[in-house]
């Protein structure tokens, strides 16, 4: 995009408009989905390796994997729903407090908003005028105060149901991966481990989209962490299984 600027000698000067973009620092839907899948992968492959370490049968390993998938997915969904619902209810309660204050003490709230702009470097007269214009509409005034004082957008509050469904689905997909080889006829842990480790590397690589790390670094880091969890639970299963036997 170009624009024409008239210089001191009335000669047109062409200036290039430079634009830049940022990655979504909040992660949007990507981060919770990927981390949910990663959690399912790590927890279920660790559970299964622990059971295998205890010399369990193929049927027992499959049962443990499916039970871990169901229990983890429902637990994640319930936890996310409760957490997001509680957060939303708290925000809505605070918004109601702000709405009452705007109705009961409009002058005080106007002065408070103006002072916020003054604290950011705006001249007092200009800050007062900006606050007055923004406060002309009650709903806009509530939105501005919510953004400035609470750091939230009243029209963009998180959905507990969406959070629960997303967590359930992401965890379930991740937890299913190490079970799939057994469901398809595998009789040893090796195929399940290979599938899980590839999945962990891919999840880590995808996470690099919301971080400053390279894809291979994030992928390798997650692969190593998942391998460590699986190895430790295998040893724990071997120790406990040997002791019980």
């Amino acid at each position: 995009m170009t624009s024409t600027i008239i210089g001191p000698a009335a000669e047109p000067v062409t200036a290039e408009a430079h634009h830049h973009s940022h990655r979504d620092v909040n992660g949007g839907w990507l981060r919770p989905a990927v981390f949910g899948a990663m959690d399912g992968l790590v927890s279920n492959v660790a559970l299964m390796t622990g059971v295998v370490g205890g010399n369990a049968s193929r049927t027992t390993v499959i049962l443990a994997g499916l039970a871990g998938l169901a229990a983890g997915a429902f637990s994640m969904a319930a936890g996310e729903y409760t957490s997001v619902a509680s957060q939303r209810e708290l925000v809505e309660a605070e918004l109601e407090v702000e709405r009452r204050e705007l109705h009961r003490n409009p002058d005080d709230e106007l002065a408070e908003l103006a002072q916020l702009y003054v604290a950011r470097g705006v001249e007092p007269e200009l800050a007062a005028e900006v606050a007055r214009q923004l406060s002309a509409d009650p709903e806009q005034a509530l939105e501005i105060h919510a953004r400035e004082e609470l750091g939230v957008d009243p029209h963009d509050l998180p959905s507990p149901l969406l959070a629960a469904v997303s967590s359930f689905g992401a965890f379930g997909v991740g937890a299913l991966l190490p079970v799939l080889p057994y469901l398809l006829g595998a009789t040893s842990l090796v195929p399940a481990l290979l599938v899980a480790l590839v999945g962990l590397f891919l999840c880590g690589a995808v996470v690099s989209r919301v971080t400053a790390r390279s894809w291979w670094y994030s992928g390798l880091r997650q692969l190593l962490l998942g391998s460590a969890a699986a190895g430790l639970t295998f040893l724990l299963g071997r120790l406990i299984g040997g002791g019980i036997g």
Side-chain angles (χ1 to χ4, degrees), residues 96-158:
E96 187 57 35
V97 170
E98 194 64 37
R99 184 178 284 108
R100 287 198 303 268
E101 287 301 311
L102 285 167
H103 178 71
R104 294 174 180 174
N105 305 298
D107 292 338
D108 291 342
E109 291 297 307
L110 182 63
E112 182 181 24
L113 184 58
Q115 189 57 43
L116 285 173
Y117 293 133
V118 170
R120 294 182 178 181
V122 181
E123 295 180 357
E125 295 79 8
L126 180 58
E129 179 61 20
V130 170
R132 185 188 66 79
Q133 293 187 28
L134 291 176
S135 301
D137 178 3
E139 285 304 312
Q140 178 175 260
L142 176 63
E143 181 177 343
I144 295 297
H145 279 269
R147 288 178 181 274
E148 296 292 342
E149 297 178 32
L150 302 176
V152 298
D153 182 351
H155 305 298
D156 190 28
L157 298 181

Side-chain angles (χ1 to χ4, degrees), residues 28-236:
W29 62 269
L30 179 62
R31 185 168 63 177
V34 173
F35 276 99
M38 200 179 296
D39 190 15
L41 259 171
V42 173
S43 61
N44 220 28
V45 74
L47 172 64
M48 292 170 63
T49 54
V51 173
V52 171
N55 295 318
S57 65
R58 175 176 176 272
T59 301
T60 303
V61 175
I62 294 175
L63 179 60
L66 293 177
L69 185 160
F74 282 115
S75 176
M76 285 284 291
E80 280 294 317
Y81 185 92
T82 302
S83 174
V84 174
S86 299
Q87 179 186 11
R88 184 180 179 119
E89 289 163 3
L90 174 60
V91 171
E92 288 174 341
E94 291 301 310
L95 288 174
E96 187 57 35
V97 170
E98 194 64 37
R99 184 178 284 108
R100 287 198 303 268
E101 287 301 311
L102 285 167
H103 178 71
R104 294 174 180 174
N105 305 298
D107 292 338
D108 291 342
E109 291 297 307
L110 182 63
E112 182 181 24
L113 184 58
Q115 189 57 43
L116 285 173
Y117 293 133
V118 170
R120 294 182 178 181
V122 181
E123 295 180 357
E125 295 79 8
L126 180 58
E129 179 61 20
V130 170
R132 185 188 66 79
Q133 293 187 28
L134 291 176
S135 301
D137 178 3
E139 285 304 312
Q140 178 175 260
L142 176 63
E143 181 177 343
I144 295 297
H145 279 269
R147 288 178 181 274
E148 296 292 342
E149 297 178 32
L150 302 176
V152 298
D153 182 351
H155 305 298
D156 190 28
L157 298 181
S159 166
L161 182 59
L162 179 60
V165 172
S166 299
S167 296
F168 183 92
F171 186 98
V173 169
L176 179 62
L177 288 180
V179 187
L180 272 178
Y182 277 97
L183 293 177
L184 296 175
T187 56
S188 73
L189 184 63
V190 175
L193 278 177
L194 291 176
V195 171
L197 293 178
V198 170
L200 286 170
F201 183 86
L202 292 177
C203 283
V206 173
V207 168
S208 67
R209 293 189 57 185
V210 292
T211 67
R213 294 291 188 177
S214 61
W215 63 270
W216 60 266
Y217 178 89
S218 296
L220 186 60
R221 177 175 61 184
Q222 194 55 43
L223 188 151
L224 292 175
L225 290 173
S227 299
L232 289 172
T233 52
F234 179 83
L235 292 176
L236 186 61

